[in-house]
Structure formats: structure tokens, C-alpha cells
Amino acid sequence: MQMTLPSPPPATPAVEDAIAQLKVKSGPITRRLWRMGIAFGLAMLAFAVSRDVHHIQSPEQPISFGHDLLPSYVAGQLVLEGHASAMYDWQSVFELERRQIAEANLGIDPRYGPWLNPPFYAWAFVPLAKLPYREALATFVIFNLLLLGVSFYLLRGILVGAARAQIDPMSFVSHPAHSAWATGGLIPILLVVSMPFMQAFGHQQNTFITLVILCGVVTLWRRRQAFAAGMLAGLLAFKPQHAILIWVAVCLYLGWRALAGIASTGIVLFLLTIYTMPGCITDFLHKVPPIVSSLQTMSNYNWGRQVTFQSFWRLLLQRDQAGPTWQSLILVSRICCGGVAIAILAALWRSVRVNQLTASPDRIIAAIIVSAPLIMPYYMDYDLVLLVIPAVLFASECLADPQGVAQSDLYLIWAWVALFVVTYVNPGFAREFHFNLTAVALSVLAAMHIRRCFRDPLGMTAQNE
């Protein structure tokens, strides 16, 4: 039995005029974004050529990128050899990493890169651990490129599929303005030339795994497929700092089915860890926090690479001094985090109570993802790649609802541009001037996105009236 959805109401002259005006205005904006993307792309290419990029196929040449794969590779080795309990042992991991640095001729000094993820995640790197490190790195590069391709496909679906909530909350329609290559092509070009992308890909971080999972969660969330969205969101447990806020929001918005989906995935991962890695959960809970604390209290720790409130206040007032963070700074950071968390929960509660059956969840999803780095105690700048999702959600709404574009939305576009530019200069600027520009730009962007959650879209305003 098929359910026939009602057809969209005919466009009024005011709507047609607004769409025509948007087409006129979007042309120059699109051209400017393409010019910016091409300019950054050419600059990145020139920089890569000037550094004479080394090829990992040449064993005699030291590998100068992808070093963040090393802790994951070593964790996979320990699981493969039946020594999973040593993943959080400083001496065991350090010895294995030092040996791999020498054998694979890595272009870094012997150092200790800790394994900070939950133990079950190490199983993902067991297949790579069966290969020599250089082959494992080449395989992981290809895997990340495949994940990136899937992410682009899902992001385009998010851009094209705009929720017509005033018709039916399950109805998604395709808009020609979204489908045009000149619009959709901006997603890959602007993402690839962004600094967080270059950092994540250069380090060969697991950011692209998070990106493809989160894109899938958002796609299912927008379609109100609660259980499937919860199950997929459960996979984010490999990075708890990304998972917690998403889990809370999905459960509050989609209800108990989403909670059941998260719980089902969590039970499977928990049983997998219990039966294949006995004792590792306890080690993770007790040993990882001291490891993270020791990393952040070492001398010359680059707090500018963190994008949290704690990193902002620590860098501004305590500078790069070794030692624990002052209690006063921790208190101020928690107050800032609490303020953002309360604002997010208030926006989420309003969205659930007032517009649960009619409003698109795009605004609250965007606000949550943008605000998450500020609330978390540990969030690296390369993970800002995930902000491509709220950027696409914002663009999709502007294209789908031209009458709903307010003056504040134009300011929000400039806030996105400012963050894009700031991420390029912040690492060096923060080290030199002890001021985290990225944290400030991200705070402004988060505040503007949260504020949008308290403003009804045009379709909802019309309904309420």
C-alpha cells in the first residue's frame, strides 16, 4: 500500500519574485566562491610543489606525512598479537612505535603517540597491521579517499533534499538550484582547499571516518528514520567527544527508537570488547584521562591546535607554560561550556516541543555540530572538517526558502568566511601572540546558529499565523 503525499501548493507571486531575486543574487555569490576556491587550490598546489612532496613508494625516502596513523597501526598490531591489554601501556606502545619509525623510515623523531580511542576501535586497524607500515599507509590513504567520495555523495543529498515541512515532514523535494553543478561543485572544492581538510589528510587522521558516519546520521535524522539514525550514531563511540552531544540530541528529537538504536550498537561494541579484549574497558576509563592530561601539560604544547574554551583561556592567560591548567581557568572554561550547552538544550527543547512534527531539524543539527567543539574538553582543529555538514545544511535552507533569508543570515555567511580564513592563520598566530582566533570565530558562528533556532522558518510562521 503506497501513501500519496499531497502536492505542493502553487507558488504565489511573492514567492516567485523572491526565487527570481535569489537566482540573480546567487550568481555573483557562486562566482566569488568559485574564485576563492580556485585561488586557494592554486596556492595549495604551489605549496605542495615547493616542498617537493615525497612518495611513499620510495623506501629510501623518509615519509613526511601520515604520522597520526602510527598509534592506530600499533594498536592493531597489539590486538593481532594477542596483547590488546598493552594498548594503554606507555612503555609497550612507545617501543613498538620507535621500532616502526626506524623500520619504515618515517621522517619524525622517535616519540610517544598514545592510543586514545576506545579499545574496540583497534579492530578496524588489524587488517592494516598485517601489512608493512608503508603499504598500510598507502592503503589507508586510498580508504580515506573512498570515504571522502561517499561523504561528498551524502552531502550532495543533504543539499538537494530540502525538507518541505509545511507539506509533510517526511517529504523531500529536489530543487534545480541545488542540483546545478556550479552549486554542488562548491562542496568538494571548498572542503578540499580548507585548512582542516589539509591537516586531517596530511596527518592521515580518522576524521573522514567520523565525517561519513555523521553525514549518514544527519541524512537519516532529517528523514525521521529514528532507529537507523540511532544505530549509525552508535558507531561514533570510537570518538566520544563527537558522540555525546549528538546522542543526546538525536534521542531528544527522535525519541525512544533512536535511543534503542544507539543502545543496540553500544551493546554489540561492548560485548565485542568484553569477549575479545578483557580488561581493556577498565584500562580505557582509568588510563586515558591521565594520558590526555599529561599531553596537555607538557612544555611547548600547542594549545592553538585545540578549538575549545579551555584552549582559549589557557593560551591567553597561562601561555605555553608547562604544568596543570589553573583551577580558575578551568572554572571559567566550564562556565563558558555550560552557557553554550544550556543554549543548545533550550533550542533543542523548543524544537521538540513546538515544531516536532512540522519543522525541519536542519537548524538544530547545524547548531549542535558547530557548538560541539566548544563544549568538549578535547577537540583538535583538523576535526573542524565536520563543519562542512552545518555549512551545507545552511546553504540548503537558503536555497530552498529564499523568503526566509534574513539580514542576520547574510552576516552568518560572512562568519563562515571568517572562520574559513582564520583556520589558515591561527596555528602560527596563536603560537606567536597567544590568542586562539579559531575559538573566537567558532564561538561567534555557534552563537549565530543557535540564535537561528529560535527564529521560525517562513513556512512555520505562516502556519502559526
Side-chain angles (χ1 to χ4, degrees):
M1 180 177 179
Q2 295 182 345
M3 181 180 67
T4 303
L5 297 175
S7 58
T12 64
V15 173
E16 293 178 350
D17 291 342
I19 294 175
Q21 292 177 7
L22 180 66
K23 290 180 179 179
V24 172
K25 294 179 181 178
S26 63
I29 294 176
T30 302
R31 287 194 294 271
R32 289 169 187 162
L33 290 174
W34 271 104
R35 290 169 184 168
M36 183 176 70
I38 292 173
F40 274 96
L42 291 174
M44 184 175 65
L45 179 62
F47 178 73
V49 172
S50 67
R51 292 190 60 186
D52 188 22
V53 179
H54 299 287
H55 299 285
I56 61 177
Q57 292 84 359
S58 303
E60 68 278 1
Q61 295 180 343
I63 300 178
S64 58
F65 78 101
H67 298 152
D68 284 355
L69 176 63
L70 185 58
S72 302
Y73 180 83
V74 168
Q77 275 190 328
L78 290 170
V79 174
L80 185 63
E81 296 170 359
H83 304 297
S85 59
M87 282 189 294
Y88 305 106
D89 179 71
W90 183 91
Q91 191 61 38
S92 300
V93 174
F94 176 73
E95 290 297 333
L96 284 173
E97 288 182 350
R98 185 169 61 178
R99 187 177 67 188
Q100 285 299 328
I101 290 172
E103 291 179 356
N105 191 17
L106 304 184
I108 55 175
D109 297 327
R111 58 192 176 95
Y112 171 57
W115 171 256
L116 302 177
N117 299 94
F120 70 83
Y121 182 54
W123 277 109
F125 296 93
V126 169
L128 293 180
K130 296 179 181 180
L131 304 173
Y133 185 82
R134 284 177 174 260
E135 294 181 16
L137 178 58
T139 303
F140 195 60
V141 169
I142 296 173
F143 178 65
N144 275 331
L145 290 174
L146 292 175
L147 290 178
L148 192 62
V150 175
S151 298
F152 286 148
Y153 175 79
L154 294 174
L155 287 168
R156 185 184 179 278
I158 292 173
L159 182 69
V160 172
R164 292 296 298 273
Q166 63 270 30
I167 303 171
D168 187 279
M170 296 292 292
S171 175
F172 284 75
V173 295
S174 178
H175 294 269
H178 298 54
S179 303
W181 70 267
T183 302
L186 286 172
I187 298 175
I189 189 172
L190 292 179
L191 177 60
V192 170
V193 301
S194 68
M195 176 57 75
F197 173 86
M198 288 187 279
Q199 291 168 329
F201 198 82
H203 296 318
Q204 279 303 296
Q205 263 290 334
N206 52 23
T207 303
F208 303 108
I209 300 177
T210 312
L211 177 63
V212 74
I213 294 175
L214 193 54
C215 284
V217 171
V218 171
T219 300
L220 295 171
W221 186 347
R222 298 174 83 221
R223 296 183 179 276
R224 307 303 204 277
Q225 297 179 16
F227 186 77
M231 285 190 66
L232 193 58
L235 295 178
L236 291 173
F238 80 95
K239 268 194 172 181
Q241 69 270 29
H242 296 303
I244 296 174
L245 194 56
I246 296 296
W247 289 347
V248 172
V250 168
C251 292
L252 288 178
Y253 202 96
L254 298 180
W256 67 269
R257 291 181 177 85
L259 178 61
I262 294 173
S264 62
T265 301
I267 291 172
V268 171
L269 297 178
F270 179 77
L271 294 177
L272 174 67
T273 306
I274 289 292
Y275 285 105
T276 63
M277 305 175 180
C280 286
I281 293 180
T282 302
D283 290 340
F284 172 73
L285 295 175
H286 290 87
K287 294 183 178 180
V288 168
I291 292 175
V292 173
S293 178
S294 65
L295 286 175
Q296 294 183 332
T297 56
M298 292 188 304
S299 59
N300 299 324
Y301 182 77
N302 191 356
W303 283 96
R305 297 295 306 275
Q306 294 275 335
V307 290
T308 63
F309 280 125
Q310 181 177 346
S311 67
F312 174 79
W313 293 112
R314 165 90 191 213
L315 187 64
L316 180 64
L317 300 176
Q318 199 173 345
R319 305 295 177 93
D320 295 326
Q321 298 176 8
T325 303
W326 298 340
Q327 289 299 317
S328 58
L329 298 185
I330 294 177
L331 177 61
V332 172
S333 301
R334 289 177 178 175
I335 292 174
C336 295
C337 293
V340 175
I342 291 172
I344 282 290
L345 291 175
L348 183 60
W349 182 254
R350 178 185 183 275
S351 182
V352 172
R353 286 291 300 273
V354 179
N355 303 324
Q356 185 180 23
L357 297 179
T358 52
S360 166
D362 290 4
R363 290 186 179 182
I364 191 63
I365 295 174
I368 288 169
I369 297 176
V370 170
S371 303
L374 298 170
I375 300 175
M376 296 300 107
Y378 188 89
Y379 203 107
M380 295 299 295
D381 52 2
Y382 46 70
D383 282 330
L384 292 179
V385 166
L386 303 179
L387 297 192
V388 67
I389 298 175
V392 171
L393 288 170
F394 173 58
S396 176
E397 182 183 347
C398 291
L399 290 171
D401 186 12
Q403 280 190 317
V405 178
Q407 184 67 32
S408 59
D409 294 330
L410 301 179
Y411 296 143
L412 184 55
I413 293 175
W414 284 109
W416 274 106
V417 173
L419 179 64
F420 187 92
V421 175
V422 160
T423 55
Y424 270 88
V425 302
N426 185 70
F429 185 90
R431 183 180 291 276
E432 183 69 23
F433 298 100
H434 308 290
F435 190 87
N436 195 324
L437 289 172
T438 301
V440 174
L442 190 61
S443 299
V444 173
L445 190 67
M448 298 179 74
H449 269 284
I450 293 173
R451 183 175 178 273
R452 292 186 83 243
C453 296
F454 293 92
R455 195 185 81 216
D456 282 333
L458 178 66
M460 281 303 306
T461 303
Q463 280 190 352
N464 293 336
E465 293 176 353

